[in-house]
Amino acid sequence: MRSKDRASNAHGGMLTGRGSRRWLVAALLAVLALGCAPRVTPEQLAAARQSRAQKLIESGNESYRIGDYRLAARRYAAAAVVKQDDPAAYFGMGMALSKLGRDEEARTAYARARELARGKQPPAAARDTTPARSP
C-alpha cells in the first residue's frame, strides 16, 4: 500500500487523486447507463411474456411428441409461470401429467385450463347466486 493510500485510509477512508477520479467516472457512467436505458412499456412486457410462454409451450409440444413427458410437463409448467393466464400451458401440462400417471395433478391442470378458457370464471360453488336487487 502506498503512503498516499495509507494516509487516505487514516482520514476516514476518503479517496484522493487517481482513485477518486476512477470512482467518479464509474459513478457517472452508472448514472448515464441507468438514465439512458430504454423504457419498457407494459404492452412490450406483456408481448415478451406471451412470446416466451409460446416458445415454452412449443418446446413442451415437441417433447410430448417425442415421448419425453417429464420434460414436456416441465416446459408447460414453466410457460404457466411466465404467463399465468394461458390455458394452453395448463392443458399441455394436464396431457403430460396424465401420461406420467399423475392423474390428480392432471385433473387440476385441466380444470385450470378450462377455467381460463371460459374467461376466468370462478367455479359455480364460489359464485354468488343471489339475484341482484333492482334500484
Side-chain angles (χ1 to χ4, degrees):
M1 190 181 277
R2 295 183 305 183
S3 62
K4 196 184 262 189
D5 292 335
R6 277 189 228 123
S8 68
N9 286 336
H11 297 293
M14 295 178 54
L15 295 174
T16 60
R18 208 181 291 168
S20 66
R21 277 185 253 142
R22 285 183 187 158
W23 184 87
L24 181 60
V25 168
L28 286 173
L29 287 174
V31 169
L32 287 174
L34 291 174
C36 296
R39 304 283 186 235
V40 178
T41 66
E43 293 81 17
Q44 291 171 323
L45 184 59
R49 283 180 175 241
Q50 177 61 41
S51 175
R52 177 70 180 140
Q54 186 60 40
K55 287 177 184 172
L56 287 164
I57 290 169
E58 289 169 5
S59 178
N61 291 344
E62 181 61 23
S63 297
Y64 187 91
R65 188 184 66 72
I66 63 173
D68 191 347
Y69 305 120
R70 181 170 288 144
L71 180 59
R74 284 195 302 250
R75 294 293 186 250
Y76 294 130
V81 169
V82 170
K83 192 157 188 315
Q84 297 172 356
D85 61 349
D86 193 336
Y90 290 95
F91 185 79
M93 194 179 346
M95 291 188 325
L97 291 169
S98 179
K99 288 288 190 176
L100 292 170
R102 295 164 57 179
D103 295 334
E104 190 59 38
E105 292 170 277
R107 277 192 280 278
T108 302
Y110 283 135
R112 180 69 176 141
R114 186 173 46 251
E115 182 181 300
L116 291 169
R118 290 182 178 169
K120 298 184 183 181
Q121 295 178 355
R127 276 188 243 144
D128 184 10
T129 57
T130 57
R133 295 182 186 181
S134 55

